[in-house]
Amino acid sequence: MVRERIADDIYVFTSRQYAQVTAGAIMTKEGVVLIDTLFFPEETKEIRDFLEGRLGLTVKYVINTHYHADHSQGTYLFPHAQVASHRLCRELLDTVGREGLVEAKTQMPELEEVDIVLPDLVYDDGIMNLYVGGKTIQLHHFPGHSLDISAVFIADERILFASDNTMPVPTIFDGGYQHLVNSMHGMLALNPDTVVSGHGEVMLRGEVVARIEDDLAYLEAIKTAVTRVIERGQSPDALKRINIEDCGKSRIPLNGLVVDLHYANLQRLYEELTQN
Ligand SMILES: [Zn+2]
């Protein structure tokens, strides 16, 4: 786990073991608000030891930005915290998340002690505000990467935790194409100075707008390419010839995992566009 201080009272933790997944900690006078956890208990314990051991703080809230295991699986390590999420995240954790954990435990003994924890503080639409220790922390329902995403905005510092709606390549295969486009515009409208992505490096002041516009350009490019395949009456096999670089993204980040994500996007978009 790599620790980075992005403001006086905000840390970002990036996994060394799992796809550079990130978590964040906002320190307030009343305790810490933890945004997500990491995939492996060992790394989430490092976060806990740092915050509660070394800094002597209490984690008061854990926010689950969405139900995917690499973001939510460490929640059980904070049994005294209140857990907040969108209502759909709670439902997905209780169903898909539970099944996924049973399956994962058969493959990975290090997950043995992991338990699903359901959020006890949920909202349905729009925004939920948490007022903690003099700070306003907003959860914005921004479906896209998955349908249950909450992006977390710390208004005073203009820092946005975008969760997996921003990654080295945008992903729609567990969410929806138009949802993600709309949510990206929603994120731009918040006018953040700094954006913490769900995976990979933090976007710094001055590069936020360009990076999100680059993601929107990628989404536009895959739509054009997939539409062409459909208009020519080609089978989904033709999607294999649409490479990531032609859509404006590098194939290198996340140790090349982005290429698989790109093809999953094309498949999903083909299904979306041929359903209607
Ligand atoms: Zn995810």
Side-chain angles (χ1 to χ4, degrees):
M1 181 269 281
V2 179
R3 188 178 72 234
E4 186 183 353
R5 193 171 192 167
I6 62 163
D8 276 352
D9 45 12
I10 301 180
Y11 283 100
V12 171
F13 308 98
T14 306
S15 174
R16 284 183 194 277
Q17 295 180 24
Y18 193 96
Q20 291 174 49
V21 64
T22 65
I26 304 158
M27 293 170 291
T28 80
K29 295 191 290 278
E30 287 171 18
V32 177
V33 179
L34 187 62
I35 302 170
D36 283 344
T37 59
L38 302 181
F39 184 87
F40 289 110
E42 186 193 339
E43 285 195 305
T44 303
K45 284 176 187 169
E46 279 181 56
I47 295 175
R48 185 186 63 184
D49 293 348
F50 173 71
L51 295 170
E52 300 196 333
R54 199 159 131 198
L55 301 183
L57 305 170
T58 304
V59 174
K60 190 167 181 187
Y61 292 96
V62 176
I63 295 171
N64 293 154
T65 65
H66 63 306
Y67 78 102
H68 289 165
D70 49 342
H71 295 262
S72 62
Q73 193 152 257
T75 307
Y76 80 101
L77 289 165
F78 303 91
H80 303 295
Q82 267 209 300
V83 183
S85 78
H86 189 266
R87 181 181 299 280
L88 189 55
C89 173
R90 188 181 199 279
E91 289 170 14
L92 289 165
L93 276 169
D94 202 15
T95 51
V96 188
R98 257 184 224 291
E99 288 159 23
L101 178 59
V102 170
E103 171 69 24
K105 280 186 179 185
T106 66
Q107 313 288 326
M108 287 180 255
E110 55 271 60
L111 302 182
E112 168 83 50
E113 61 173 50
V114 176
D115 232 338
I116 296 282
V117 177
L118 297 182
D120 43 18
L121 191 58
V122 300
Y123 68 111
D124 289 294
D125 287 306
I127 299 174
M128 175 161 72
N129 290 292
L130 291 180
Y131 298 98
V132 193
K135 282 191 176 291
T136 305
I137 295 162
Q138 296 182 332
L139 280 70
H140 290 255
H141 183 214
F142 279 155
H145 161 83
S146 56
L147 296 177
D148 61 331
I149 293 252
S150 295
V152 182
F153 189 51
I154 300 102
D156 294 336
E157 282 143 310
R158 312 210 66 75
I159 292 175
L160 178 69
F161 286 79
S163 188
D164 284 359
N165 281 342
T166 65
M167 290 177 47
V169 68
T171 52
I172 56 162
F173 46 84
D174 190 29
Y177 181 91
Q178 197 54 47
H179 282 304
L180 185 55
V181 170
N182 295 347
S183 289
M184 288 207 164
H185 287 293
M187 292 194 289
L188 282 173
L190 293 173
N191 194 21
D193 278 343
T194 304
V195 172
V196 181
S197 297
H199 296 258
E201 285 166 15
V202 175
M203 295 181 205
L204 299 175
R205 199 181 296 268
E207 58 178 15
V208 170
V209 173
R211 289 275 299 273
I212 294 178
E213 282 178 353
D214 187 64
D215 283 350
L216 283 165
Y218 165 81
L219 290 169
E220 193 61 43
I222 62 170
K223 190 167 188 181
T224 303
V226 172
T227 302
R228 201 175 295 136
V229 165
I230 295 166
E231 283 174 356
R232 287 177 180 160
Q234 294 168 317
S235 78
D237 256 8
L239 300 173
K240 293 187 189 128
R241 292 195 291 274
I242 305 171
N243 76 59
I244 188 168
E245 277 129 340
D246 292 342
C247 300
K249 289 285 184 188
S250 163
R251 58 171 57 242
I252 293 166
L254 304 181
N255 294 321
L257 175 66
V258 289
V259 173
D260 295 339
L261 301 176
H262 166 70
Y263 285 113
N265 282 337
L266 299 178
Q267 192 65 42
R268 167 66 192 229
L269 185 54
Y270 183 93
E271 285 161 19
E272 278 188 31
L273 294 174
T274 50
Q275 258 163 26
N276 300 320

